[in-house]
């Protein structure tokens, strides 16, 4: 008995080719946009050439404009981008297409440079509103730093002056003590000398006491006047040093602190003014949003990075918009399979590959029961032969592949034997059926009884 399974293959409908006859944006519109953008770019390039060549003042004569001519010609080369894009799309040969691409790339770089110059000036103008307040803040910060440096210098000078005055006072004190000691010794020496003159004159009994005593008194008086003058000068020096030290201690610190306080007040005012200007400036707000700080806390490096991003990103978009529009406008029409058809084929191949990689799935099929009637001949005596029917039933289980790959399980068959009336009925039915095949020859089972 044969069991057949019909495999049904569902074929996906073939996708129709994509037509570009009715695009949303017509091709002439793209070309008009591209040419308009190129003309605007050339005009901006001419202005950039003039401002780059003559940054301070424009010339008043035609000859004076000649130095800007090379940059003007360089800007006018942007007009070649659309014809080169057309040549790259329409030419069939590999060499002309390569030459068109090789000329198109550097001209795109020139356009990018011109647009970068122009947009950078626009970004700078947007940031220029906050620059005066930022410059005033910088001046205030420098003033505070200068005031701090001046206060430090004055502190160091006062410290050195106080040390010098202290030395002068100590030196005056030492001189005062030395002069006082000298005056005391001079007084004792004068007294001793007068006693010595009196004793000597009494011994010689002459008229020498008075003249010598007067001379000694005059000498001592002159010496005392000199010592008193020196002591007065020393005391005056000590007094001047003490007054200077006291004035330095009371006046210098006050003046330095007042100057620094005024500078810090000016700094606070400048900081508030700059914060107001920065919060009203769009470039500052966007840069602060990116860096996660307040607009007035942006550093010079962060502002330069923001200026570069706005300039380069906008210049790249504007410089590529025209040439990309031209490439799309001159893009050749498709005649072969569309993108949808290729996608359907790719998905079908991936699905088949995934199916082959899956584990094999099998289906159990049970073959209908096969019934076989066998007869067993028993010979009791040589003259008596008895046929004994036996019904044999075989059940076979097979496995058919459903999906996947891998080995199949082996089929197995189970068999059962039945004797008695059921076997006899099956034998009679097989004999009565005209289409039934003749039973297999009986296998004689001899049983001999003595």
């Amino acid at each position: 008995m044969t069991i057949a399974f019909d495999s049904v293959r569902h074929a996906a409908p073939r996708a129709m080719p994509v037509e570009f006859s009715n695009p949303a944006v017509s091709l002439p519109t793209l070309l008009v946009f591209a040419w308009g953008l190129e003309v605007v770019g050339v005009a901006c390039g001419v202005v950039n050439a003039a401002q780059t060549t003559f940054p301070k003042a424009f010339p008043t004569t035609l000859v004076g404009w000649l130095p800007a001519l090379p940059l003007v010609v360089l800007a006018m080369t942007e007009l070649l981008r659309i014809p080169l894009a057309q040549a790259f799309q329409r030419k069939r040969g590999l060499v002309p297409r390569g030459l068109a691409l090789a000329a198109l790339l550097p001209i795109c770089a020139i356009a990018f440079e011109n647009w970068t110059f122009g947009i950078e000036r626009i970004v700078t103008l947007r940031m220029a509103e906050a620059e005066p307040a930022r410059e005033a803040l910088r001046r205030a910060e420098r003033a505070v730093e200068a005031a701090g440096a001046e206060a430090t210098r004055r502190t160091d000078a006062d410290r050195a002056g106080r040390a010098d005055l202290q030395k002068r006072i100590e030196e005056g004190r030492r001189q005062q003590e030395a002069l006082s000691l000298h005056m005391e010794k001079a007084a004792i020496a004068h007294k001793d000398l007068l006693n010595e003159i009196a004793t000597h004159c009494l011994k010689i009994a002459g008229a020498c006491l008075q003249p010598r005593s007067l001379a000694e008194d005059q000498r001592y008086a002159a010496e005392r006047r000199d010592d008193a003058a020196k002591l007065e000068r020393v005391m005056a020096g000590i007094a001047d040093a003490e007054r200077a030290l006291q004035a330095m201690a009371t006046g210098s610190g006050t003046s330095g602190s007042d100057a620094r306080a005024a500078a810090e007040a000016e700094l606070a005012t400048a900081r508030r003014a700059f914060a107001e200007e920065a919060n009203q400036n769009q470039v500052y707000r966007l840069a602060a949003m990116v860096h996660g700080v307040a607009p007035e806390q942006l550093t010079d490096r962060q502002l330069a990075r923001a200026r570069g991003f706005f300039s380069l990103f906008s210049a790249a978009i504007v410089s590529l918009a025209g040439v990309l529009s031209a490439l799309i406008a001159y893009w050749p029409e498709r005649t072969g399979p569309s993108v949808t058809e290729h996608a359907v084929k790719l998905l079908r191949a991936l699905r088949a590959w995934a199916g082959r990689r899956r584990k094999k799935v099998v289906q159990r099929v049970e073959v209908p029961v096969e019934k076989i009637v066998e007869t067993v001949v028993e010979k009791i005596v040589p003259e008596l032969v008895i046929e004994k029917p036996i019904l044999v039933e075989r059940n076979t289980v097979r496995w058919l592949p459903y999906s996947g790959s891998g080995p199949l399980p082996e089929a197995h068959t189970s068999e059962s034997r039945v004797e008695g009336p059921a076997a006899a009925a099956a034998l009679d039915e097989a004999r009565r059926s005209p289409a039934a095949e003749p039973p297999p020859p009986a296998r004689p089972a001899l049983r001999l009884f003595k």
Side-chain angles (χ1 to χ4, degrees):
M1 187 174 182
T2 305
I3 300 176
F5 291 90
D6 296 332
S7 59
V8 181
R9 180 176 301 174
H10 300 280
R14 185 172 182 180
M16 298 299 293
V18 180
E19 298 291 341
F20 294 95
S21 58
N22 295 319
V25 180
S26 60
L27 301 185
T29 304
L30 288 176
L31 290 179
V32 170
F33 171 77
W35 277 112
L37 197 59
E38 294 300 319
V39 171
V40 174
V42 170
C44 293
V46 172
V47 174
N48 290 332
Q51 291 184 351
T52 303
T53 308
F54 310 105
K56 295 183 178 180
F58 292 139
T60 57
T61 61
L62 184 61
V63 178
W65 285 95
L66 291 180
L69 187 59
L71 294 180
V72 173
V73 174
L74 188 65
M76 293 181 65
T77 56
E78 297 183 27
L79 297 175
L80 294 174
R81 295 201 297 169
I82 296 179
L84 288 174
Q86 181 182 7
F88 177 76
Q89 294 288 16
R90 297 291 176 86
K91 294 296 182 180
R92 298 294 182 183
L94 183 61
V95 174
R97 295 188 70 184
L99 292 176
L101 182 62
L104 184 61
L105 292 178
I107 295 179
C108 289
I110 294 173
F112 175 73
E113 179 187 8
N114 289 332
W115 281 108
T116 302
F117 283 147
I119 296 176
E120 193 273 336
R121 288 190 177 93
I122 296 174
V123 175
T124 303
L125 289 176
R126 287 184 179 181
M127 300 176 63
E129 298 176 356
E131 286 303 316
R134 187 178 182 86
E135 186 62 28
L137 177 61
R138 290 175 179 172
R139 288 196 300 268
E141 290 176 350
R142 289 194 294 267
V144 171
E145 293 178 358
E150 180 65 20
T152 303
R153 186 189 65 79
R154 287 185 177 182
T155 301
D156 295 339
D158 291 345
R159 186 182 297 111
R162 284 194 296 269
D164 184 50
L165 291 175
Q166 194 68 32
K167 289 181 180 179
R168 288 173 55 187
I169 292 173
E170 292 176 358
E171 182 67 22
R173 298 295 184 188
R174 287 194 295 270
Q175 291 179 3
Q176 180 183 2
E177 293 177 359
L179 287 174
S180 298
L181 182 61
H182 176 70
M183 293 176 68
E184 291 178 359
K185 291 181 178 180
I188 295 173
H190 174 64
K191 185 178 181 180
D192 294 340
L193 186 59
L194 289 177
N195 293 330
E196 183 180 355
I197 292 172
T199 303
H200 179 72
C201 291
L202 289 175
K203 288 180 180 181
I204 62 174
C208 66
L209 178 63
Q210 184 176 2
R212 292 186 61 179
S213 297
L214 291 175
E216 177 60 25
D217 290 339
Q218 293 177 358
R219 183 196 66 78
Y220 176 69
E223 183 179 2
R224 190 173 180 82
R225 284 194 300 271
D226 293 339
D227 293 340
K230 290 181 181 179
L231 182 60
E232 185 179 358
R233 288 195 297 270
V234 170
M235 295 297 294
I238 293 173
D240 292 340
E242 289 178 349
R243 286 194 298 269
L245 184 61
Q246 185 177 2
M248 187 180 296
T250 56
S252 61
T254 305
S255 61
S257 60
D258 292 342
R260 184 159 187 172
E264 289 179 353
E266 184 179 356
L267 175 61
T269 304
R271 188 168 293 165
R272 285 193 300 269
F274 174 67
E276 294 178 359
E277 292 292 338
N279 287 317
Q280 295 177 1
N281 193 283
Q282 187 178 13
V283 178
Y284 275 78
R285 291 198 305 269
L286 292 175
M289 180 178 62
V290 172
H291 294 284
V293 296
E296 65 272 12
Q297 294 178 354
L298 290 171
T299 62
D300 293 340
R301 184 175 182 180
Q302 292 172 347
L303 287 174
R305 189 179 301 170
R307 182 188 290 109
F309 171 77
F310 288 123
S311 303
L312 297 178
F313 180 75
S314 303
I317 295 298
V318 177
S319 62
L320 292 178
V323 68
L324 291 179
S325 300
L327 289 174
I328 294 172
Y330 292 117
W331 199 277
E333 298 291 340
R334 285 187 174 274
T335 57
S338 63
V339 178
T340 306
E341 293 179 351
H342 288 301
V344 170
K345 291 181 180 179
L346 178 61
L347 291 176
R348 190 180 301 165
L350 291 175
R351 182 179 178 183
W353 177 80
R356 290 193 300 270
R357 298 296 298 176
R358 286 200 304 264
K359 186 177 180 181
K360 190 173 186 64
V361 179
V362 296
Q363 182 180 10
R364 177 174 176 174
V365 179
E366 294 186 0
V367 181
V369 177
E370 182 182 2
K371 298 180 180 181
I372 302 174
V373 181
E374 297 179 353
T375 58
V376 180
V377 179
E378 292 184 355
K379 189 174 182 181
I380 300 176
V381 293
E383 293 82 5
L384 182 60
V385 177
I386 299 175
E387 293 183 354
K388 185 179 181 180
I390 299 175
L391 179 60
V392 180
E393 295 182 356
R394 293 188 180 93
N395 189 8
T396 303
V397 178
R398 297 178 182 176
W399 301 90
L400 299 181
Y402 182 74
S403 64
S405 60
L408 287 173
E410 296 182 358
H412 64 277
T413 304
S414 61
E415 182 177 322
S416 64
R417 293 175 177 269
V418 181
E419 299 180 1
L427 180 60
D428 293 340
E429 184 181 356
R431 287 175 179 176
R432 288 194 302 268
S433 178
E437 297 180 359
R443 294 181 297 176
L446 301 179
R447 295 183 182 179
L448 302 178
F449 297 91
K450 294 183 180 179

